[in-house]
Amino acid sequence: MESQRSFLVIGLALVSFLLWQQWQTDQAPPAPTTVTQSSSNQNSSNAIDMSSTSSEQAVVSNTNAQAKVINISTDVLQLQIDNRGGDIIGLKLPKYTVSKDSDELYTLMRKLPGFEFTAQSGLIGRDGPDDSRTPRPVYSTTAQNFSLAKGEQQLVVPLMYTANGLSIEKRFTFTAGNYDVRVEYFIHNQSDEVKTVQPYQHLVQSIEGGAESGLMMPIYRGGAYGTAKERYTKYKFDDMKDENLIKPTTGGWAAMLEHYFVSAWVPDQQAENQIYSRVQNNLGVIGTKGPEIHIQPGATAEIGSSFYAGPKTQDNLAKLANGLDLTVDYGILWFISQPLFWLLTTIQGFVVNWGVAIICITLIVKGAMYPLTKIQYESMAKMRNLKPKIDELQAKFKDDKQKMGPAMMELYRKEKVNPMGGCLPMIIQMPIFLALYWVFVESVELRHAPFALWITDLSSQDPFYVLPVLFGISMFMMQKLQPMTVTDPMQQKIMMWMPVAFSIFFLWFPSGLVLYWLVSNLISLAQMLYIYRGMEKKGLHTKKAKTS
């Protein structure tokens, strides 16, 4: 039946279009990462207004502390922290480069003229030193450069500040091999009165001036958050412009996304927190705010949160907070994609090649779908055999549409053919294949992963366009095995040129996705030959009936 072929073409076109829209570049266009030191008079870190919850009391900064940038290096992170406020103003990932053949490290955060992406945190409340109407506290440090030595498992970077009766240590704890950083406050009340502070942590990014989406490779830059009730929700910059986010929750998290990478604040998961967003001076902000802490005279309080900046590795993210692993955004089909991703990584663990793993998982999925594929092709062949009789009915009742419908249904009943038999299996299979495509699109594990020969990066296009051409040939062969039954010349021309159109379309697709499509087509060809041969042995014709 012609509608079945149309479903196939429309489905392929829809999937391809969605992939086109969802596939994002490996990285934003690289920007220079030199960070200008803040002078003692600058208050740029204080750009975000926290006055709704901050103290009205003036905060006295350390008189002997100088504003400077603190450099921290581990095996997986290179950070720059401004000692004014203790904010992360620069972050590179030593394990990831800008491109496959580049030695330039991937820059996730930076603070430059015209663009900012930073991670800020502090203490507000009645006695908090991060009052938005005064300069941020300037912390003192024991050194300006810290490095995790080879063989060491942990690096602790303490920042010290004393004012208004409070002695504060803002401590950053790094662990070898980990992208999450523990950020803690150890507060000692040295005064004779109760002190009240409230922790906050948020991500700040310029709305304009960053990497812009292109036609072929759109980039999502924006926020996301999770609560006890909503495990994962995207919150775009446009949403932030329209409405300030206010979400009370137990635990929760707030993040900024850019395809393969995520930056996130994870506060105390047992505390009653508030997730918020705002826009100020072209800066989009999303973060979390904890409950007020009341510190008795002479007492000490500890406040902690975790900061993650790195690749979207699901296992690591799932351990930090409920729903944070969903930033690997498989869309509404995540519950199908996640098991498929597990299967893909399991296979890769045996074959040690992501390209071979793609071939293997395609074989497994297509094999599992074979019973539905068999029903689909047999139904389409039976409908094609009925075409002469259908043509007779259409000619007989061409002027009486009311009689044609019952006559067609009677023909289907008599011949024991279900006109939807070829469509329903395809509809059932589509979510599985679509979920698998999202696995290929979202998995950072495939970024810069080699396959074989000239395919050295499965996340980039085939440099010699071999795979798209082979895909077009395989699609053409499928058309020959399953020829069109339409007589309309325009539709015939469209279908004839469809393999060429998709080959051109796939020139810009990541080679991993094209490899999947090609293998899937080759398996379909083999299944068609096997199914049609079995039908011919039963005396059923599988070839196109001639039309005048």
Side-chain angles (χ1 to χ4, degrees), residues 69-359:
V69 173
I70 304 164
N71 300 296
I72 303 169
S73 177
T74 74
D75 55 335
V76 296
L77 293 171
Q78 289 183 8
L79 290 90
Q80 292 177 311
I81 295 178
D82 189 346
N83 74 328
R84 183 182 294 280
D87 299 331
I88 299 172
I89 59 174
L91 191 148
K92 293 182 179 182
L93 304 174
K95 298 292 185 181
Y96 295 88
T97 56
V98 171
S99 62
K100 176 71 175 179
D101 301 321
S102 172
D103 294 328
E104 183 180 353
L105 301 185
Y106 189 90
T107 300
L108 192 57
M109 291 187 165
R110 59 254 188 213
K111 187 171 185 179
L112 302 163
F115 185 80
E116 175 178 346
F117 183 16
T118 59
Q120 299 182 1
S121 58
L123 298 172
I124 50 177
R126 188 188 67 194
D127 303 300
D130 291 279
D131 190 310
S132 62
R133 291 166 296 179
T134 61
R136 299 285 299 283
V138 179
Y139 290 89
S140 60
T141 61
T142 57
Q144 191 168 351
N145 298 293
F146 295 84
S147 179
L148 181 67
K150 188 175 182 180
E152 291 184 349
Q153 289 300 307
Q154 200 169 76
L155 172 66
V156 176
V157 179
L159 309 182
M160 306 302 298
Y161 176 80
T162 301
N164 291 346
L166 291 177
S167 175
I168 301 172
E169 177 188 348
K170 186 173 185 178
R171 180 186 298 177
F172 293 81
T173 303
F174 302 83
T175 304
N178 286 12
Y179 290 93
D180 54 290
V181 181
R182 190 67 181 161
V183 182
E184 298 171 294
Y185 287 92
F186 297 87
I187 311 165
H188 181 212
N189 184 358
Q190 299 174 324
S191 72
D192 56 0
E193 60 181 15
V194 176
K195 295 290 186 179
T196 300
V197 298
Q198 185 177 23
Y200 77 91
Q201 44 276 318
H202 57 219
L203 297 159
V204 182
Q205 187 169 177
S206 299
I207 297 175
E208 305 293 338
E212 298 297 332
S213 295
L215 177 63
M216 291 303 299
M217 297 187 180
I219 302 169
Y220 176 75
R221 280 197 317 120
Y225 66 89
T227 68
K229 295 181 179 179
E230 303 171 82
R231 295 181 64 208
Y232 169 68
T233 304
K234 276 184 178 179
Y235 208 68
K236 302 177 181 178
F237 288 132
D238 287 342
D239 298 329
M240 297 181 193
K241 290 178 181 179
D242 294 337
E243 183 179 5
N244 288 340
L245 184 67
I246 302 176
K247 290 276 185 178
T249 181
T250 301
W253 53 269
M256 290 277 191
L257 312 179
E258 55 176 73
H259 198 181
Y260 292 121
F261 303 98
V262 58
S263 304
W265 279 109
V266 181
D268 183 350
Q269 293 298 283
Q270 306 303 317
E272 296 299 319
N273 302 306
Q274 183 185 89
I275 297 174
Y276 62 88
S277 74
R278 65 192 65 189
V279 172
Q280 183 176 333
N281 300 328
N282 189 42
L283 295 173
V285 180
I286 189 167
T288 68
K289 183 166 54 180
E292 286 189 339
I293 306 295
H294 305 286
I295 310 171
Q296 298 297 321
T300 300
E302 298 180 11
I303 305 171
S305 61
S306 294
F307 173 69
Y308 183 94
K312 292 182 185 176
T313 49
Q314 296 181 56
D315 290 343
N316 294 340
L317 295 173
K319 293 175 184 176
L320 284 176
N322 181 31
L324 188 57
D325 57 319
L326 296 180
T327 55
V328 182
D329 194 354
Y330 296 138
I332 61 174
L333 299 175
W334 61 269
F335 57 94
I336 303 176
S337 295
Q338 286 187 341
L340 289 173
F341 174 75
W342 173 85
L343 179 59
L344 180 67
T345 54
T346 300
I347 294 171
Q348 198 275 339
F350 287 100
V351 300
V352 199
N353 183 296
W354 286 104
V356 176
I358 289 174
I359 295 173

